[in-house]
Amino acid sequence: MNVQELLNRFREVAACPRAQMENYLKSGKKVVLTAPVYTPEEIIHSMGAVPFGAWGADIELNESKKYFPAFICSIMQSLLEIGIKGGYRGASAIVIPSLCDSLKVIGQNWKYAVPSIPFIPMTYPQNRKPDFGVAFTKAGYERVISDLGKATGLTFDDAALGSSIEVYNAHNAAMRELVGVLAAHPEVTNAQRSDIFKSAFFMLKEEHTELVRALIDALGAAEAGPAKTPIMTTGIIADAAGLTGILDDCGLQIVCDDVAAESRQYATDTPAEGETNLDRLALKFRNMDNCSVLYDQEKNRCKKIAADAKAAGAKGVLVILTKFCDPEEFDYPLIKKACDAEGIPVTVIEVDRQMVNYEQARTAIETFRDIL
Amino acid sequence: MAETTTKPRRQPPDPNSAKYKLGKIADDAYASAAAAKARGEMIGWCASNFPVEIPETLGLAVVYPENQAAGIAARGGGVTMCEEAESEGYSNDICAYARISLAYAKLKEAPVEPNVPMPDFVLCCNNICNCMIKWYENLSKELNIPMFIIDIPFNPDYEVSEAQIAYVRAQFWDVIHGLEKLTGKKWSDEKYKEVMEISGRTSRAWLAATACAKYTPSPFNGFDLLNHMAVMVTARGKKEAAEAMEILLKEYEQNHVEGKSTFRAEEKYRIMFEGIACWPWLRVTSTGLKGRGINMVTTIYADAFGFVYKDFDDMCRAYCNVPNAINLEHARDKRVKLCKDNSVEGLLVHTNRSCKLWSGFMPEMSRQIGEACDIPVVSFDGDQADARNFSEAQYDTRVQGLTEIMDTRKEAK
């Protein structure tokens, strides 16, 4: 496939997750939903099921309002809405980690709102670095394995986990490499870039890696398009067509990101150390850093954003703040300080999954472009 | 000539009363922290559900930013402080206690009391919400002081697992050793045993006092609990607190015998109030009930701060079982018990914009409580400390609605 064909394929998958899910179900695979963030997909994959990203969608909310007050983030609200309306029918279970308050409450609501799809909690420690934190992570994984066994009838094998870890590490590496390759190809739009990341949620990682590797090769043989203004994005999600379209209209190019649904999840590989493969996976969580939902006394994430923007040649940082996302909202003032200290312009726009009118964001982004 | 009216002078509180003693304990906490700071000792800012046994045993003076924020909000300074934080880039969707506290960390003073000494360390515990972590991270970073955290994850199961106890226990010792190193204070098992015993004594008295709501009419106005719980949160390991709570229990029992109550109206209806108080609108929310003869006889606070445990592991378990750290079924059952034990006729739910965790599964849980207890449930929108997020008219309409349903049910009986 050439570059355009590959980009079309990513688009197809990103735009129609339900079709992807149906295909997997038809092929006899079990599908397990994975809510944000850092759900241990490797475990699900190793047991032979398809981990299927469940980050909500840009839809109107009706049914979820019976469960959530208005001030819970729209990722959770829309995730529940899809569940209630049957959009995930056929899924064997949903695994939800508990890394923020909205994630804690959706699990409780899910049990009553979507009783047909079992809720499997993944309780992570915030004190994840010391040995006692690693032990607690491992206990959480063991509970997930036990619940997955009940929900799917599939069994766990540590050697199989080792193979899945290799699949995931290879995917991480491909996604990290891709970011650099895309930065050198401004002709790939921000909307297309978003499709590549989003499609990863709805494909087996080995299949996605194959497509990404093909794209990297195809772009390597292609001539780079005319330069645009390079920027960095940060936030939880940045997949709204209304938003990426404005960035493209304004001649801005995302050259690196700290978006949870994009690069942030691919930053840490599972290490080689560890007695068993499950131990290795627990150590992966120990090694994770630079994320708004992971305890970070030094606020290193904020400094890292400024450093990454500088290293990638971004002329500014666009903070895409998901409305009602506490962890991100607390970090914003410190991100701004860190970027100010490095002389990097910062603009914040608020987004949620109910936005239909992006004109206010357009004005802010146009002003941002003019500053740059 | 206009008529002049003289406001009746309030009687000074009896220094032997529980109210006076409990108020003094709360005030003394600020004074003793200020005194410790003046002596050159290190003092801390401490999360409300951080295990008080740790600073108490180590002899460390701490103040509680949540209590401070509630106090500032109740005295009308909340919006000014929130706006100060917002000018720094903090979203107005963030918890108002956090905004007030972060503004205080910057300004080092508030337009109203209580002012508190600046900390040398912060003690964080997230068994009420993960927002605490973000708030304390920022305090630690902005003030350039160490942060100690005890992470108590939200428990999706009914019982606390051994894995969670082991994780929490290890963190207790990690924090204790860290504080010893930082402050030079030493942990003493003997002192801890004493604190544990006093804390148990205070808790038993508190639980017994709040259980006096079983009497009809209740010998107390439930809004008293909102004030007294500050002592339960911060000082239950102190002997004075145990003594004051025992006096409170005695007073409530005495009220019952004499047919008296601190609820100064005829008790026509008995409700449970769910959520943190709307501190900036305390008078409005209180009189809106009292004016209709509604006594808020119980809240989850009645149960939440009664920490009775037998040993160190049991203490860890108790901190894993605080209201916002437990699953819907466990949280529901605690409330159903309170409603049934205290003959509650209605549930009034504060949908608190500052508290995503508390409000996030409240609609489903309150539906289940209503069904289990066969009582009407009504909610209103508000905020614990940001006065802008409350509508007096909406509150009044909702409370009126609740009253009418309770009235109809009474007539039907």
Side-chain angles (χ1 to χ4, degrees), chain A residues 76-355:
Chain A
M76 296 304 118
Q77 302 245 18
S78 61
L79 172 53
L80 195 68
E81 183 82 17
I82 298 168
I84 295 171
K85 288 187 172 162
Y88 293 128
R89 67 190 171 279
S92 298
I94 183 168
V95 182
I96 307 178
S98 58
L99 285 164
C100 76
D101 293 331
S102 297
L103 282 165
K104 292 176 189 174
V105 297
I106 190 176
Q108 301 308 303
N109 284 325
W110 187 275
K111 291 183 283 191
Y112 296 96
V114 197
S116 59
I117 301 177
F119 157 58
I120 299 178
M122 174 56 217
T123 306
Y124 277 116
Q126 286 291 343
N127 236 332
R128 63 196 181 281
K129 302 283 181 191
D131 288 348
F132 54 74
V134 177
F136 190 67
T137 302
K138 190 180 174 189
Y141 289 159
E142 285 165 346
R143 189 254 167 83
V144 168
I145 291 167
S146 164
D147 285 4
L148 277 172
K150 285 178 210 151
T152 64
L154 299 168
T155 52
F156 175 77
D157 172 67
D158 196 68
L161 178 61
S163 304
S164 294
I165 284 172
E166 298 320 310
V167 168
Y168 273 76
N169 279 355
H171 184 251
N172 287 354
M175 295 306 282
R176 290 194 296 261
E177 190 180 335
L178 175 78
V179 171
V181 171
L182 290 177
H185 285 272
E187 74 278 13
V188 178
T189 66
N190 296 302
Q192 289 166 331
R193 184 184 188 279
S194 169
D195 288 339
I196 303 169
F197 280 101
K198 194 169 180 178
S199 59
F201 289 130
F202 313 130
M203 293 177 78
L204 281 166
K205 291 295 183 285
E206 54 271 40
E207 294 171 2
H208 196 256
T209 303
E210 201 179 318
L211 281 182
V212 171
R213 283 280 161 217
L215 181 65
I216 290 170
D217 290 345
L219 283 171
E223 203 175 312
K228 294 178 182 169
T229 306
I231 61 162
M232 177 177 183
T233 48
T234 176
I236 298 291
I237 50 170
D239 59 353
L243 174 67
T244 51
I246 293 169
L247 297 178
D248 288 324
D249 291 349
C250 290
L252 299 170
Q253 183 201 359
I254 301 168
V255 292
C256 69
D257 75 85
D258 164 57
V259 174
E262 298 183 0
S263 292
R264 212 189 287 175
Q265 61 185 316
Y266 301 124
T268 310
D269 288 342
T270 302
E273 64 176 306
E275 203 175 312
T276 66
N277 288 308
L278 198 61
D279 288 316
R280 292 173 62 201
L281 201 62
L283 292 174
K284 175 189 179 186
F285 186 69
R286 177 198 68 183
N287 294 348
M288 284 184 174
D289 280 311
N290 302 309
C291 177
S292 55
V293 298
L294 301 177
Y295 172 46
D296 177 11
Q297 189 199 335
E298 297 299 325
K299 307 299 284 192
N300 285 324
R301 173 191 174 221
C302 305
K303 285 177 272 184
K304 187 173 184 296
I305 288 170
D308 285 354
K310 218 172 173 179
K315 291 194 171 165
V317 172
L318 180 64
V319 179
I320 302 167
L321 199 57
T322 298
K323 182 90 176 145
F324 302 123
C325 176
D326 278 354
E328 294 278 314
E329 288 171 345
F330 271 101
D331 278 0
Y332 169 66
L334 283 90
I335 292 171
K336 176 134 186 19
K337 272 188 188 174
C339 289
D340 285 351
E342 294 291 338
I344 302 165
V346 178
T347 281
V348 60
I349 54 165
E350 275 193 340
V351 294
D352 71 37
R353 287 219 179 273
Q354 273 73 66
M355 265 173 91

Side-chain angles (χ1 to χ4, degrees), chain B residues 108 230 358:
Chain B
K108 298 178 177 52
W358 203 325

Side-chain angles (χ1 to χ4, degrees), chain B residues 22-68:
Chain B
L22 290 166
K24 189 168 181 314
I25 291 166
D27 292 344
D28 284 354
Y30 293 116
S32 76
K37 185 85 180 174
R39 287 195 301 272
E41 290 180 27
M42 297 180 106
I43 71 120
W45 283 6
C46 183
S48 68
N49 255 333
F50 185 91
V52 69
E53 289 79 359
I54 294 178
E56 191 65 32
T57 303
L58 288 169
L60 290 168
V62 292
V63 292
Y64 294 82
E66 288 148 85
N67 287 9
Q68 183 200 19

Side-chain angles (χ1 to χ4, degrees), chain B residues 8-26:
Chain B
R9 187 180 293 175
R10 256 194 191 174
Q11 290 289 321
D14 174 0
N16 294 316
S17 68
K19 187 179 175 184
Y20 178 86
K21 286 177 185 290
L22 290 166
K24 189 168 181 314
I25 291 166

